[in-house]
Amino acid sequence: MSPDLEHLIELQNLESAIEESRRRIAAHPQRIADAEARLARAKEAVDAAKQRLKASQEARREAEKEAAVYQSRLSKFKDQLSAVKTNKEYQAMQHEIETATKELGSVEETVIERMVEADALTADVKKTEQALAAEQKNIDAEKKTLTEELATVEAALKEATAKKDTLITSLAPPLVALFEQVSRARKGVAIALATRDGLCSACHVRLRPQVFQEVRRNDQIIQCASCNRILYYIPPPAAAEPAVTHA
Ligand SMILES: [Zn+2]
């Protein structure tokens, strides 16, 4: 392969590596923010579970207050029962006692229901807290990995940029100018492989047979007539010898 072509391929590889590094560096803050958003959701789940438990406990206290009211009403009726004079009064008082007892029973049932509910809600709180702790651990690890990755990518970017600068100074300026012109016009990709069946792998246009012949020699700068990218060719590996087994 001609040194010019080889250098341009190398330049393209460096350009692509630089572009990829920049893309990853730019994506870093969003990846951190995504991890933090997941943590915030786990915290919200804990808060919501605690809120449900609190509401249930408040409802239970209300029911207990109500039960206390029925209790005192009931004992008042029982006190009055001994003081009634007539059978009619006695029956009326009995009726009052029955009603209050029923009401008390119903409120006490509510208290028990709320207690059972609180057990389930307490378990929910614990579950969400465990999930939060696990998520916290995951996210700490993830952020550490992301930070390490960022440092690696930044180092790779620095290295590729330095190599690119060195390479460019060693190339003929018109060659660099051609590369940069095509690169700008083609979203950073100035070089394309010619496929074995004679297509430009970037724009998929078929090369003229004579052009393809020339590209296959890899000894000059040839641009795709359609996308202008500089073409090169990788010959197929030599056919492997069929395996022979000796008896
Ligand atoms: Zn092309």
Side-chain angles (χ1 to χ4, degrees):
M1 188 179 279
S2 84
D4 278 353
L5 202 49
E6 221 165 273
H7 288 148
L8 289 187
I9 292 168
E10 197 188 337
L11 183 56
Q12 182 61 61
N13 289 340
L14 291 169
E15 280 281 15
S16 300
I18 287 167
E19 188 48 41
E20 172 65 9
S21 295
R22 286 193 179 132
R23 196 189 56 73
R24 288 176 65 185
I25 290 167
H28 179 78
Q30 188 57 52
R31 292 176 74 189
I32 294 281
D34 288 347
E36 275 166 359
R38 266 167 37 223
L39 188 63
R41 281 199 292 279
K43 280 180 182 157
E44 279 165 18
V46 172
D47 289 344
K50 283 183 174 168
Q51 202 53 50
R52 285 194 297 272
L53 177 60
K54 198 178 153 206
S56 169
Q57 285 167 336
E58 275 165 10
R60 177 183 154 188
R61 275 193 290 278
E62 279 307 308
E64 282 170 342
K65 269 187 217 162
E66 234 180 293
V69 169
Y70 288 124
Q71 287 276 16
S72 70
R73 192 179 295 171
L74 207 51
S75 54
K76 202 177 79 193
F77 288 152
K78 280 175 184 167
D79 287 347
Q80 287 169 356
L81 196 60
S82 55
V84 295
K85 306 268 186 291
T86 67
N87 196 33
K88 201 179 164 196
E89 275 176 354
Y90 184 83
Q91 276 172 358
M93 194 55 75
Q94 279 289 13
H95 182 70
E96 293 282 10
I97 289 171
E98 249 170 57
T99 306
T101 304
K102 255 187 224 158
E103 282 166 341
L104 177 62
S106 150
V107 172
E108 280 174 343
E109 220 168 88
T110 303
V111 171
I112 289 167
E113 278 168 15
R114 292 300 185 188
M115 284 167 79
V116 172
E117 183 184 69
D119 283 348
L121 292 176
T122 302
D124 277 354
V125 169
K126 204 169 166 193
K127 219 190 295 173
T128 56
E129 280 173 342
Q130 281 167 347
L132 173 61
E135 193 69 295
Q136 178 78 63
K137 214 171 144 191
N138 284 344
I139 283 162
D140 286 348
E142 199 175 310
K143 279 165 83 173
K144 187 167 171 272
T145 306
L146 285 173
T147 306
E148 284 165 2
E149 260 178 42
L150 181 64
T152 307
V153 172
E154 280 170 343
L157 173 62
K158 208 174 152 195
E159 195 190 327
T161 305
K163 274 188 184 164
K164 178 193 150 186
D165 292 347
T166 307
L167 180 59
I168 279 180
T169 54
S170 76
L171 296 179
L175 200 61
V176 176
L178 172 66
F179 179 92
E180 284 176 349
Q181 182 206 326
V182 179
S183 178
R184 264 197 305 277
R186 296 292 166 198
K187 291 182 179 157
V189 182
I191 306 286
L193 182 71
T195 68
R196 288 186 191 137
D197 46 1
L199 305 182
C200 166
S201 65
C203 72
H204 308 291
V205 164
R206 183 166 296 282
L207 309 175
R208 283 188 297 116
Q210 201 205 324
V211 172
F212 185 41
Q213 278 299 329
E214 287 166 357
V215 168
R216 277 160 62 158
R217 289 204 295 268
N218 278 331
D219 61 1
Q220 50 182 315
I221 301 299
I222 299 168
Q223 289 173 263
C224 170
S226 170
C227 71
N228 279 335
R229 290 189 182 89
I230 298 154
L231 296 164
Y232 71 104
Y233 182 73
I234 299 175
E241 290 292 319
V244 178
T245 44
H246 297 280

